[in-house]
Amino acid sequence: LSAGVCCCCAALRPRYKRLVDNIFPEDPKDGLVKADMEKLTFYAVSAPEKLDRIGAYLAERLTRDVVRHRYGYVLIAMEALDQLLMACHSQSIKPFVESFLHMVAKLLESGEPKLQVLGTNSFVKFANIEEDTPSYHRRYDFFVSRFSAMCHSCDPDPEIQNEIRIAGIRGIQGVVRKTVNDELRATIWEPQHMDKIVPSLLFNMQKIEDIDSRIGPPSSPTAGVKEENPSVLAENCFRELLGRATYGNMNNAVRPVFVHLDHHRLWDPNEFAVSCFKIIMYSIQAQYSHHVIQEILGHLDVRKRDSPRVRAGIIQVLLEAVAIAAKGSIGPTVLEVFNTLLKHLRISVDFELSDRHSSAESVTLSTSSKENDERIVQNAIIQTIGFFGSNLPDYQRSEIMMFIMSKVPVLGTTSQSLDPSNLGDLGTRRIQIMLLRSLLMVTSGYKATTISNALPPPFLDPLLSPSLMEDSELRQLVLEILHNLIDRHDNRAKLRGIRIIPDVSDLKIKRDKISRQDVSFMKKHGQQLYRHIYLGCKEEDNVQKNFELLFTSLALTTIELANEEVVIDLIRLAIALQDIAIINEDNLPVFNRCGVMALVAAYLNFLSQMIAVPAFCQHVSKVIETRSVEAAYFLPETIFKDKCDLPTSLEKDEKDLFFLTNKIAESLGGSGYNVERLSVPYVPQVTDEDRLSRRKSIVDTVSLQVDILSGNNTEDKVDNTEEITFEALKKAIENNGLEEQEKEKRRLVIEKFQKAPFEEIAAQCETKANLLHDRLAQILELTIRPPPSPSGTMTITAGHAHYHSVPVYEMKFPDLCVY
């Protein structure tokens, strides 16, 4: 009777339940009953409104089987669910999906690894299904949390641990794919989800043994590798996640990376951090690269008080990110990058000097280590600045060059944004050197079409300011920067080292005809370059490298910018340098004087062969040969040896040892050169930079002397015993006012002689002398008595240039102003 009742009850059950019960065999080992599964699938497709009931009943059976540990029936139920999901795509599937997700959640909550893997596999299959309509109420918060927890599995069995971690990563990948394809995909990018997903993936990525193999663009490992290696699978999931990020959610995906690296102290050493950000930069869309760079800069500001090695690690990551971003779109962060790096450069110098001052009394190994670590930070900043700048397009690089140059502090000024006032001379020098090193890297490889583009006045003037500093390293950096900008044909390597070149043609110098723009540049700014070289040779702390760089400067100027007029100017400059060593007004050491003589010999030898004037080459060669026999220390091969015997004095009057202006003028005049200007000695211009140089100004070398011998006219004499009266005092006050006017007039004249080009002064003096002669001639023609004999002379002296004396007569000409 009971059996009959059971049969009747079974017959009265709903059809969907009977179809579901039929798919389960008596022995779960036999697996799913396929014939009955086909009936259930056909019924579900034919009556989609029954899907939600089918799903609820399957969920009920699965929950009961999980509790009873009947895992064989659990596997059959999940297989049936998967087949129903794949077969049904109508709008009625939404309630069925809710039942399905509830069953997957039950499996993931169980402590059985096999069930967790089973639930993950079913979820991944579901994630690959494209639904016809979006779901506005479905959320995956539980799955994000559960899959992330599985990624951190610490099961004692390595195989089970590996299996669960792989399942967690694949589950996260499924959540990402499902939510990205959904119209409500923005929910997955919320910070509470990213803070779980990203660290879980990074945790597994740390297991990568060969970091160097992961620094390139996304790879395509085989399916077997993906399944067996959690680190590779996590990395590919991380790449996929970043590749799907958009403008609005990029930052939410990147910020958890910083949190993970901070929490696990992965900035020092920073191999994994560098690897992560290389993956990020290669995975995201190129137009979003500046977002990542901004985040790194912001994190650097946050960690500015951390240890030097941590800051250096972050800067190194920035360098790698910039290196990749520079190949694509950098966006509006160019100046922000440089400004932030320069700010941290100043902070690093502050830390270094504060540590040094605090340990002035007791020097310890830890303090020395801190200073070395700060140097690591500074070098990393310089390298980043240089690399970033050198990868920018030319128009942006020019702006960055001027931006960095504007940050270089100058002693005696307070207008610099880095504010070196609190650093002292040592700190200011450190920042100067580091900024110039950065600028040197930025200018490396820069090829401007014209020199005026490479050296615009707003950049040239502040760049040449350090040429007056009493620091040989600063001057060396300035020269190297000039070489980067002037050398447009890569001839610098051929000119390396200072030497007497036997045959310049063997160097295979590359050069083009000088353009009109370059000619115009030399007319406007050539004197600045000459002055820089001239003053650079007069510094007492010059070493061999300084002379080598000065020689290269002269040679590159000859190659890139020299026409006939510039050649004459360069010869005048070389002769003036020779006079520095011969006359020695600055009391230079013997080594410096010999170095200058060697520099002049090497350069004139190079110049004579470049312009190929036989008589000029012959004169230079003869002087060099004479020096090699009688004064070898005047040649670079001898004076710059490690052990060179310096002479006790250089009091030699033998003209055969020196390059003579008259001989050079004679040789060049026969070849069509205009050699009139060779008779005018070179004198450097005086600029406002001399006040900031902390060195003896060259103003002292330029003087104005006007000596007019007084005649015997007794009427002009003043009686020293004149009585003091009211009229006398009034006259004295009036004379005092006139004297003040005369002093102001003389000051303006002297300032003019200091700042005006020498050729302009010479031409003006010649004009005034001619005017004076013409005026005298007109007056003397009207005079009955014969012209008086000269009673005095006027001599104008500027440096070593003496003009012909101009006769001055015992007459007064109020309308004629003579200086």
Side-chain angles (χ1 to χ4, degrees):
L1 181 61
S2 62
V5 173
C6 291
C7 291
C8 293
C9 292
L12 294 175
R13 298 182 70 188
R15 185 182 179 186
Y16 74 90
K17 288 189 176 182
R18 284 183 277 127
L19 291 174
V20 170
D21 290 338
N22 290 339
I23 66 174
F24 291 93
E26 292 184 2
D27 187 357
K29 294 182 180 179
D30 294 338
L32 182 68
V33 180
K34 295 183 178 179
D36 291 326
M37 185 64 215
E38 292 177 357
K39 294 179 183 179
L40 178 62
T41 303
F42 179 78
Y43 176 77
V45 172
S46 302
E49 68 276 3
K50 300 293 185 178
L51 269 175
D52 58 335
R53 300 182 182 183
I54 294 173
Y57 184 61
L58 276 172
E60 179 184 346
R61 287 205 55 156
L62 182 137
T63 303
R64 184 173 64 248
D65 291 336
V66 169
V67 173
R68 297 176 180 178
H69 300 285
R70 298 169 64 179
Y71 298 138
Y73 288 117
V74 173
L75 295 175
I76 293 174
M78 292 306 300
E79 185 177 355
L81 284 169
D82 293 342
Q83 291 190 23
L84 288 174
L85 279 174
M86 299 298 294
C88 303
H89 296 287
S90 64
Q91 294 183 357
S92 302
I93 201 174
K94 300 303 177 185
F96 176 76
V97 170
E98 296 301 324
S99 299
F100 167 78
L101 293 178
H102 176 70
M103 287 183 281
V104 172
K106 286 293 183 181
L107 295 180
L108 296 177
E109 286 179 336
S110 69
E112 183 63 34
K114 292 183 179 180
L115 296 184
Q116 294 178 359
V117 174
L118 177 63
T120 302
N121 293 337
S122 295
F123 183 84
V124 171
K125 293 177 183 178
F126 162 71
N128 292 328
I129 297 175
E130 294 185 6
E131 301 183 49
D132 296 335
T133 57
S135 175
Y136 294 97
H137 63 279
R138 189 185 307 154
R139 296 185 65 86
Y140 299 94
D141 299 13
F142 168 79
F143 296 100
V144 171
S145 300
R146 190 57 194 163
F147 288 137
S148 299
M150 291 170 63
C151 291
H152 293 84
S153 174
C154 297
D155 195 279
D157 188 344
E159 293 184 1
I160 296 177
Q161 180 189 105
N162 191 64
E163 189 177 9
I164 295 176
R165 289 186 178 183
I166 289 176
I169 296 169
R170 294 181 66 243
I172 289 177
Q173 195 172 29
V175 172
V176 172
R177 290 176 179 176
K178 191 63 178 176
T179 53
V180 166
N181 292 331
D182 198 327
E183 290 185 5
L184 297 181
R185 59 185 179 274
T187 57
I188 195 62
W189 299 105
E190 293 177 357
Q192 62 266 29
H193 299 321
M194 288 291 104
D195 291 344
K196 298 173 184 177
I197 292 174
V198 174
S200 301
L201 298 176
L202 296 178
F203 176 76
N204 287 276
M205 288 167 58
Q206 287 179 248
K207 303 300 180 181
I208 297 178
E209 297 180 0
D210 186 8
I211 294 180
D212 294 336
S213 64
R214 311 249 59 87
I215 61 176
S219 57
S220 299
T222 61
V225 175
K226 287 184 180 180
E227 296 296 333
E228 295 176 1
N229 194 337
S231 58
V232 175
L233 183 61
E235 181 186 329
N236 283 276
C237 182
F238 188 52
R239 290 183 187 271
E240 183 177 350
L241 174 68
L242 295 168
R244 296 175 184 271
T246 59
Y247 179 85
N249 49 49
M250 174 62 63
N251 294 341
N252 290 340
V254 175
R255 285 170 185 166
V257 178
F258 294 103
V259 176
H260 180 82
L261 297 176
D262 290 342
H263 180 71
H264 293 276
R265 300 179 180 178
L266 297 175
W267 295 112
D268 178 32
N270 68 337
E271 287 81 3
F272 180 72
V274 170
S275 175
C276 283
F277 278 92
K278 284 187 175 182
I279 292 172
I280 292 173
M281 297 302 294
Y282 279 120
S283 301
I284 63 176
Q285 300 180 44
Q287 63 267 30
Y288 304 146
S289 297
H290 63 278
H291 279 286
V292 180
I293 295 176
Q294 285 177 330
E295 289 296 322
I296 299 174
L297 292 173
H299 195 69
L300 182 60
D301 288 336
V302 172
R303 305 297 300 271
K304 63 183 179 181
R305 297 294 177 183
D306 280 30
S307 65
R309 290 190 175 273
V310 170
R311 286 181 281 126
I314 298 174
I315 294 169
Q316 180 67 27
V317 167
L318 177 63
L319 172 61
E320 299 296 340
V322 162
I324 299 171
K327 301 175 184 177
S329 172
I330 298 190
T333 61
V334 175
L335 288 180
E336 182 182 354
V337 171
F338 288 99
N339 199 33
T340 302
L341 289 175
L342 293 178
K343 179 179 67 176
H344 284 276
L345 186 64
R346 163 62 194 268
I347 292 174
S348 178
V349 173
D350 280 340
F351 286 157
E352 180 186 0
L353 295 180
S354 62
D355 291 339
R356 181 176 300 177
H357 293 325
S358 63
S359 62
E361 297 180 357
S362 58
V363 179
T364 62
L365 293 177
S366 60
T367 301
S368 177
S369 177
K370 286 183 180 179
E371 290 184 6
N372 293 334
D373 290 345
E374 290 297 342
R375 295 293 178 92
I376 294 175
V377 175
Q378 295 160 14
N379 290 333
I381 293 175
I382 292 171
Q383 188 178 6
T384 304
I385 292 175
F387 189 87
F388 194 5
S390 62
N391 281 277
L392 292 175
D394 287 346
Y395 72 93
Q396 279 188 326
R397 202 192 301 199
S398 299
E399 296 177 358
I400 294 304
M401 286 159 50
M402 288 189 283
F403 178 76
I404 296 177
M405 199 67 238
S406 68
K407 299 292 184 179
V408 177
V410 178
L411 293 170
T413 63
T414 58
S415 60
Q416 304 299 326
S417 58
L418 283 186
D419 188 17
S421 57
N422 297 328
L423 293 177
D425 291 352
L426 179 60
T428 301
R429 178 186 178 276
R430 290 279 299 146
I431 290 182
Q432 286 174 333
I433 289 177
M434 286 184 288
L435 290 181
L436 289 177
R437 284 174 57 194
S438 304
L439 188 59
L440 178 63
M441 296 187 67
V442 171
T443 56
S444 178
Y446 181 62
K447 295 291 188 299
T449 54
T450 62
I451 295 297
S452 57
N453 291 337
L455 293 170
F459 177 74
L460 178 62
D461 296 337
L463 176 63
L464 295 182
S465 295
S467 67
L468 301 177
M469 300 295 178
E470 293 181 344
D471 191 302
S472 62
E473 187 175 359
L474 282 173
R475 299 195 302 274
Q476 291 172 13
L477 289 171
V478 172
L479 288 172
E480 290 177 324
I481 292 169
L482 282 175
H483 297 170
N484 283 344
L485 298 173
I486 295 176
D487 184 20
R488 292 172 289 181
H489 297 87
D490 298 324
N491 292 312
R492 206 173 353 159
K494 304 170 185 177
L495 301 168
R496 186 172 290 119
I498 180 171
R499 63 196 186 280
I500 302 297
I501 303 174
D503 191 353
V504 174
S505 61
D506 293 340
L507 301 180
K508 298 180 180 179
I509 299 293
K510 297 179 182 178
R511 63 185 306 192
D512 294 329
K513 185 178 179 180
I514 184 170
S515 63
R516 288 189 299 175
Q517 293 87 345
D518 292 343
V519 172
S520 176
F521 173 84
M522 290 304 292
K523 288 182 177 179
K524 293 180 180 179
H525 307 289
Q527 294 297 327
Q528 287 178 271
L529 296 178
Y530 305 150
R531 174 177 181 270
H532 172 71
I533 296 172
Y534 180 85
L535 296 177
C537 292
K538 298 177 67 174
E539 297 293 344
E540 294 185 6
D541 61 341
N542 280 340
V543 294
Q544 179 178 349
K545 185 176 180 181
N546 290 89
F547 289 110
E548 291 178 352
L549 294 174
L550 289 166
F551 166 74
T552 305
S553 301
L554 289 167
L556 289 176
T557 304
T558 304
I559 295 171
E560 297 287 349
L561 302 169
N563 56 5
E564 290 189 5
E565 183 178 350
V566 174
V567 167
I568 297 299
D569 287 336
L570 289 171
I571 294 175
R572 292 174 57 221
L573 174 61
I575 298 301
L577 294 177
Q578 180 177 254
D579 291 342
I580 290 177
I582 297 174
I583 302 174
N584 196 25
E585 291 182 346
D586 297 295
N587 296 321
L588 295 175
V590 175
F591 170 79
N592 294 66
R593 297 172 65 186
C594 293
V596 173
M597 297 291 280
L599 168 65
V600 174
Y603 173 64
L604 289 181
N605 172 70
F606 176 82
L607 176 63
S608 63
Q609 297 185 55
M610 287 296 294
I611 63 177
V613 176
F616 186 23
C617 293
Q618 184 178 1
H619 172 63
V620 173
S621 300
K622 184 177 180 180
V623 173
I624 292 175
E625 290 175 2
T626 305
R627 288 186 179 184
S628 62
V629 176
E630 301 182 9
Y633 43 80
F634 282 167
L635 298 177
E637 289 80 2
T638 301
I639 188 60
F640 295 127
K641 285 183 178 179
D642 293 336
K643 295 181 180 179
C644 174
D645 295 330
L646 296 175
T648 56
S649 64
L650 300 180
E651 304 301 331
K652 288 184 175 290
D653 296 330
E654 300 178 10
K655 293 184 178 180
D656 294 340
L657 297 177
F658 307 134
F659 301 99
L660 304 178
T661 305
N662 58 346
K663 293 287 186 67
I664 296 175
E666 182 181 349
S667 61
L668 294 179
S671 297
Y673 281 82
N674 184 4
V675 295
E676 293 181 0
R677 297 175 63 247
L678 280 178
S679 60
V680 181
Y682 169 79
V683 175
Q685 291 181 347
V686 180
T687 68
D688 294 336
E689 298 169 359
D690 296 305
R691 302 195 313 271
L692 309 176
S693 63
R694 290 195 176 184
R695 65 193 299 278
K696 185 178 180 181
S697 174
I698 63 169
V699 178
D700 298 336
T701 66
V702 181
S703 63
L704 175 67
Q705 298 176 355
V706 180
D707 299 327
I708 302 180
L709 298 179
S710 60
N712 295 323
N713 190 352
T714 58
E715 297 178 357
D716 296 334
K717 293 182 180 180
V718 180
D719 187 4
N720 293 331
T721 61
E722 184 177 357
E723 182 181 359
I724 300 178
T725 63
F726 176 79
E727 293 296 331
L729 289 175
K730 182 179 178 181
K731 185 176 180 180
I733 293 173
E734 293 176 352
N735 291 337
N736 188 31
L738 294 175
E739 289 179 1
E740 292 296 330
Q741 295 179 3
E742 291 295 329
K743 287 182 180 180
E744 178 65 17
K745 190 175 181 180
R746 286 195 297 271
R747 188 189 67 79
L748 294 175
V749 172
I750 293 174
E751 184 177 356
K752 180 178 181 181
F753 271 79
Q754 290 174 347
K755 295 186 176 182
F758 191 80
E759 288 76 7
E760 180 182 339
I761 297 173
Q764 186 176 0
C765 291
E766 184 177 358
T767 302
K768 291 183 181 296
N770 294 335
L771 181 62
L772 177 61
H773 280 292
D774 294 341
R775 182 63 173 159
L776 289 173
Q778 293 175 4
I779 294 175
L780 293 176
E781 288 178 358
L782 302 176
T783 305
I784 300 176
R785 59 190 178 90
S789 59
S791 63
T793 60
M794 179 180 69
T795 303
I796 298 176
T797 304
H800 303 297
H802 297 275
Y803 285 87
H804 297 291
S805 298
V806 180
V808 181
Y809 295 86
E810 295 181 15
M811 294 183 180
K812 295 182 180 180
F813 308 110
D815 59 334
L816 185 61
C817 179
V818 181
Y819 298 125

